[in-house]
Amino acid sequence: MKKRIALAICSFMIAIGGIGMSSLPHEELPVSEELLSEAMEEEEPEEVIEEVAEVKVCLEGCTLEEGHEGECVVKEEDIEVILKTTSMERDLKVKFVNKKTGKVISGADFKMKLTSPSKKTKEYSDHDNDGIIWVKDIDGGNYTIEMLELEGYVTAKNLTAEVKKKIEYKVVEVADEVKSESEVNVSQEDGAYGGAEKDDSTSGSAKLEDTVEYVASTKKEVTKTTKVQKKDSFGQLVYEKQKVDALGQPMYAKILSESDEFHTFKKGTCTRCGAAEKKEHVHIDKDNNCVCDGPECTESMHSELSNGICNKCKKVVKPENHTHENSNNDTACDSCGETLVHTCVDEDGNCVCDGPNCTESMHSELSNGICSKCKKVVKAEEHTEHIDSDADNKCDFCEKTPLVQNPPEETNPPAEHSNEHDFVDVNGDDKCDNCNPAPTSTDLTEGDQTVASIIFRKFNLLSVSSNRFIKYDTKSAPVYDTSSAKVYETETTYIYTGWQTIDGATYYFDKNGNKVTGEQVIEGIPYTFSSEGVRSGTIGIDVSKYQTGINWTKVKNAGINFVMIRCGYRGYGSGVLVEDPMYRSHISGAKAAGLRVGVYFFSQAVNEAEAVEEASMAVSLAKKYGINMPIAIDSEYAAGGRGRADGLSKSARTAVTKAFCDTVKSAGYTPMVYASKSWFNDHLNVSQLSSYRIWVAHYAEKCGYTGKYHIWQNTDKGKVDGVPGYVDMNISSI
């Protein structure tokens, strides 16, 4: 940056400040008489001194140079440069990048010396000052790049780069080349607006005539009452009032308790509570299964019992009265078949049953707990007399030792215990119950009474009043007053208008809230609806910087499923790579609303190398946000036929398209080609594009493109809630 100050002023200030000219690298310069006289006119010396100080500040950063026509030059800090390269096929693109910003430096005439693998050198210059020198048609191999000195810039270190012999359709680094629209002349670079279908004069882009009036999307809750009487959980018809008995209690079907004298029946119904009179049921058993045939009765009807057995069904009905009989001496009862109890026999005299599966003990004639047969202690609790015939201090039968017992310990009652009676402690409080008897209820105040006593009193109180009330089971069915108003069924529903997505399906409701069906045109866009009103196909829009102020939530609610967003373009004039200024806002909003998202790039590539760069830029921008729809190349004329790529041949344009798509595919994304119906037919070899997704623009009631396609852009006059103005509409099969 240069700051201009008259050299005469500098010389004058040096003279009056007593600064020697020996400190300056120049000869003494004359002082302007006019400026000198103006300085002498100052009345206050302090002001002159102040001006001198200000100039000194200026001078500290200034150097006076010969031949500069009296200007004082202030130098900026030099910019540090680094070299970056890319190579596609027998070419070398050298970029002069600002180390601090990471962007290509424009506005400077950089020069470099290029040394080939055969050690031949040649100098190149950045004549258009775009910060890039692109050397083409050179042999493959390693080249050395040397930046030549340029005032104001720190010379970059030499760099060795490989020139590829054959193009590889892989992503390259282009982020340092991408510019914003503020850095370019947009009117000379962006000519994509208007749509690819402009060249298709047979169809045009006029709106189709609507068959259904467009209405905004609304949802209104309404409650409908039907003429069907409501039923409760018990299946009873519901009335507004519940019936009450003579004492005003709400009545229920089941009664838990009641006074015997409470009911007064008339015509089978109690006049006080409304309960039905209980009539004795007469049991009938016509099928002789000993069970009552009544529909809700399971009463047993066994008869003529003998030995606990029903004479009709021959089943043991009363086991307590049944005696087993075993006339044939088998193991089962003759009447009921029950296995009988085994009779134990001990013929070998070992006091154990001889049965094969029985270990029952058969000790007998016990005395002193000892079996008289086997002489073993069988019941220890009865064995109290120990016998020691051999004087070994062990019982001959139980071998208990020693036989001499210590005398029992005496229980010493507490000191406060009276010796007039025995010490008794039934409640375990270590106090004699006779010395400290428990208080009686009559000795206690209300607050000292036990809980049991209080409950007892309350129970008596309830029992007194229970004769006046019926105790209902409130969990049973309520008894309704059928003379009150009926309660009818109600249903909460919604009245919709416009586009609606319900349970994953998309519908359109007219202004009266009716689903539309069949072939319809809404806001100039043709749609197909099933007989149930479900829209077929997936509907989307595509947007760029020309659509602003979008409410993406409304777009989603309007039935839009996906959006294709322009991420950038190559200038149709200079060929620079430019990011769409609305891309980041569009993709962030669309993803937040839950829409499926893809991107497209407006191409002006004139060769495969540039197509790889365009694809690389699109992949880089898509990767930052994540997409689930394809990355498309937009192939069409630009700026009314003045685009840099407008003159490409059919084969060259096809090669560019393939290079873009193959680069996208190599990065793991799905490539797609966007063009109009006529563009596919006239400017591209479609047979070479069969492995890519196709996005065709044809503004008509039906798509006229005869080839296979995946997205059909059918109008640029679409209206979608949430998008101000018109927008491109698309129907997708993916």
Side-chain angles (χ1 to χ4, degrees), residues 403-573:
L403 292 178
V404 180
Q405 301 292 323
N406 295 324
E409 295 182 0
E410 294 183 1
T411 304
N412 297 318
E416 63 271 14
H417 170 66
S418 175
N419 293 322
E420 295 178 356
H421 54 263
D422 295 333
F423 180 83
V424 179
D425 184 16
V426 177
N427 58 8
D429 62 353
D430 294 327
K431 296 180 180 179
C432 178
D433 296 341
N434 294 322
C435 296
N436 300 279
T440 62
S441 59
T442 56
D443 298 328
L444 300 175
T445 62
E446 182 67 25
D448 295 327
Q449 291 186 42
T450 63
V451 175
S453 176
I454 296 173
I455 293 175
F456 183 74
R457 289 187 178 184
K458 289 187 176 181
F459 178 76
N460 286 336
L461 180 63
L462 288 175
S463 65
V464 172
S465 61
S466 62
N467 291 330
R468 296 185 63 241
F469 295 95
I470 293 179
K471 188 175 181 181
Y472 296 95
D473 182 1
T474 57
K475 295 181 179 179
S476 66
V479 179
Y480 293 104
D481 183 356
T482 56
S483 63
S484 65
K486 297 178 180 179
V487 178
Y488 293 101
E489 293 282 357
T490 59
E491 181 183 6
T492 300
T493 60
Y494 298 94
I495 296 178
Y496 299 97
T497 64
W499 290 107
Q500 300 289 340
T501 299
I502 305 171
D503 296 332
T506 302
Y507 306 84
Y508 186 83
F509 296 82
D510 62 21
K511 62 182 181 181
N512 298 318
N514 301 314
K515 295 177 182 177
V516 301
T517 59
E519 302 288 334
Q520 302 289 349
V521 179
I522 306 169
E523 281 293 287
I525 308 168
Y527 299 96
T528 301
F529 300 89
S530 69
S531 57
E532 290 77 29
V534 179
R535 187 194 65 196
S536 49
T538 304
I539 307 301
I541 60 175
D542 59 90
V543 296
S544 66
K545 70 178 184 182
Y546 299 101
Q547 287 76 37
T548 60
I550 298 177
N551 185 324
W552 290 104
T553 302
K554 287 186 176 182
V555 172
K556 173 71 172 178
N557 294 337
I560 300 300
N561 301 108
F562 72 92
V563 56
M564 297 295 291
I565 304 171
R566 190 176 78 158
C567 62
Y569 60 89
R570 187 185 289 276
Y572 74 82

Side-chain angles (χ1 to χ4, degrees), residues 691-731:
S691 60
Y692 314 126
R693 300 287 177 91
I694 300 299
W695 178 11
V696 62
H698 186 216
Y699 303 159
E701 187 173 351
K702 294 184 179 180
C703 185
Y705 182 68
T706 57
K708 183 180 179 180
Y709 62 90
H710 303 86
I711 300 180
W712 170 32
Q713 186 187 89
N714 55 14
T715 183
D716 60 354
K717 296 290 192 298
K719 288 290 291 183
V720 174
D721 191 23
V723 182
Y726 292 128
V727 66
D728 296 340
M729 302 297 299
N730 303 267
I731 302 176

Side-chain angles (χ1 to χ4, degrees), residues 649-667:
S649 65
K650 193 172 186 177
S651 59
R653 194 178 301 279
T654 302
V656 165
T657 304
K658 286 174 55 66
F660 182 99
C661 291
D662 288 345
T663 304
V664 169
K665 187 176 181 179
S666 71

